[in-house]
Amino acid sequence: MSATVTPSATSPTESAAGTLPTAEGSTTGTAVTAAAGTTARPALNWRIRFGALSIIWGFSFLLIKVGTEGYAPFQVTLGRLLSGTAVLAVAMVVRRERLPRGARTWGHLAVAAFFLNALPFSLFAHAELTIPSTLAGICNATSPLWGMALSLVALSEDRPTRRRVAGLGLGFLGVLTVLGAWQGFSGLDFSGTAMALLASLSYPIGWIYVRRTLAGNGSSTLALTGSQLFLGTAQIALVTPLFTSAPDGFPLLPTLAVVALGALGTGLAVLLQYGLVEEVGPTTAQMVTYFIPVIATAAGVAVLGEQLSWNTPVGALVVLAGAALTQSRVRGGRAASSRASSD
């Protein structure tokens, strides 16, 4: 899954485009809403596209795990960003989108690319060297919790409510359940888990930055997202040679996993999410976030044979319940402001 803000995360709280950057995914971080006007109704029902998006982002963690079996984490990140950027570049050419203008805009996009693409993608790839893909997918689900906590500090229009504060507390209780806190975190790889949680934290930092700097930019969401992915690719391309050597070969399965991760989870997923936001709105589109850890867990167990203890699925459900509460809004002004607000 990518982290794009239409809609990344890739991928937790609402972005400036009005959708969630679903962490893995995910999600990039664009900052404009779709232009007003009538658009052609897609031939494929939105529910089918919603399900496809959930599956694509849910399988992203499995693809990361398979990719790291043949490549270094930075190489996995570079490959996914290259593939994702290529998909969006083709879409921009087909739709005749123009690149954003102005050095200031490109500077803001470079910062957004770091927090919404380069950093979290790399952290998840490094994390999955030592933790199961199921745990990485569940850590990704904490992004709405981090986002709610940060937005209370950074965004003046986001005021705490009892329900949202309760959701925050419930969500982090779920995290402690997943990690087995009562057992002293025995058997847990601390560094890998910490990197996955930091990756999830990076997404809301990125979307808050985008919301403050790029909202109302005037460029289309697709143009901003494609440009952001390009900048994220450039950042990782500069770093990768410093920490890795050229691969000895190109093993088939890891190579296919990396290409699919980028083309589907970082490229096609952004286009699917962009269409969903336009058709059914950000509130419905962001519900995909709650399916991602479920699919990631099922994929890790069924395909990779990863083991689960009882606290992992139970804690994941508690995390999702808390995240859902943090996304609840009161009617009226705040509901309106949320519309202007996100692998």
Side-chain angles (χ1 to χ4, degrees):
M1 141 190 101
S2 86
T4 67
V5 196
T6 64
S8 141
T10 6
S11 15
T13 47
E14 292 177 343
S15 74
T19 81
L20 259 261
T22 49
E24 245 318 281
S26 84
T27 233
T28 42
T30 65
V32 296
T33 56
T38 302
T39 57
R41 191 175 188 83
L44 202 59
N45 185 278
W46 73 266
R47 294 175 181 83
I48 297 176
R49 288 179 283 126
F50 182 95
L53 182 59
S54 302
I55 293 172
I56 289 171
W57 272 340
F59 268 81
S60 292
F61 299 95
L62 179 150
L63 294 175
I64 293 172
K65 174 68 79 172
V66 175
T68 56
E69 292 176 357
Y71 297 101
F74 278 127
Q75 293 169 345
V76 171
T77 302
L78 178 60
R80 77 178 290 185
L81 283 171
L82 280 171
S83 300
T85 301
V87 171
L88 292 191
V90 170
M92 289 175 65
V93 170
V94 170
R95 299 185 184 184
R96 299 181 180 180
E97 296 280 358
R98 294 183 178 181
L99 292 174
R101 296 181 179 181
R104 188 180 184 86
T105 296
W106 281 90
H108 290 318
L109 285 173
V111 176
F114 176 76
F115 284 109
L116 291 165
N117 302 117
L119 179 61
F121 289 4
S122 299
L123 286 172
F124 271 121
H126 278 87
E128 290 200 42
L129 291 175
T130 56
I131 67 172
S133 66
T134 52
L135 179 56
I138 293 170
C139 287
N140 178 78
T142 64
S143 281
L145 305 177
W146 297 119
M148 185 263 185
L150 290 173
S151 68
L152 294 179
V153 176
L155 300 175
S156 59
E157 69 268 30
D158 281 337
R159 301 298 183 185
T161 64
R162 290 181 180 179
R163 177 177 294 183
R164 298 182 74 192
V165 171
L168 186 64
L170 182 64
F172 283 110
L173 178 62
V175 172
L176 293 177
T177 302
V178 170
L179 302 182
W182 66 94
Q183 299 172 342
F185 307 106
S186 62
L188 183 72
D189 183 83
F190 178 79
S191 61
T193 304
M195 282 189 285
L197 290 173
L198 284 174
S200 301
L201 171 61
S202 180
Y203 289 117
I205 292 175
W207 77 254
I208 288 175
Y209 179 84
V210 163
R211 184 169 167 181
R212 284 183 171 273
T213 60
L214 288 171
N217 173 271
S219 298
S220 73
T221 298
L222 179 58
L224 288 175
T225 300
S227 301
Q228 179 185 306
L229 279 182
F230 169 75
L231 291 171
T233 303
Q235 291 169 1
I236 293 299
L238 292 173
V239 170
T240 299
L242 302 178
F243 295 95
T244 64
S245 56
D248 296 330
F250 299 92
L252 180 60
L253 196 56
T255 300
L256 292 176
V258 172
V259 172
L261 178 64
L264 298 179
T266 308
L268 177 61
V270 171
L271 299 177
L272 287 173
Q273 186 189 34
Y274 179 70
L276 286 171
V277 171
E278 286 186 320
E279 184 174 351
V280 300
T283 301
T284 299
Q286 75 179 14
M287 293 302 292
V288 70
T289 302
Y290 306 114
F291 291 87
I292 293 172
V294 177
I295 295 173
T297 299
V301 172
V303 180
L304 299 179
E306 295 176 347
Q307 300 297 313
L308 285 181
S309 56
W310 68 267
N311 58 296
T312 301
V314 170
L317 290 175
V318 176
V319 168
L320 292 177
L325 284 175
T326 65
Q327 297 304 298
S328 63
R329 305 245 179 196
V330 297
R331 294 181 179 179
R334 285 185 203 170
S337 69
S338 71
R339 285 183 169 271
S341 63
S342 175
D343 34 116

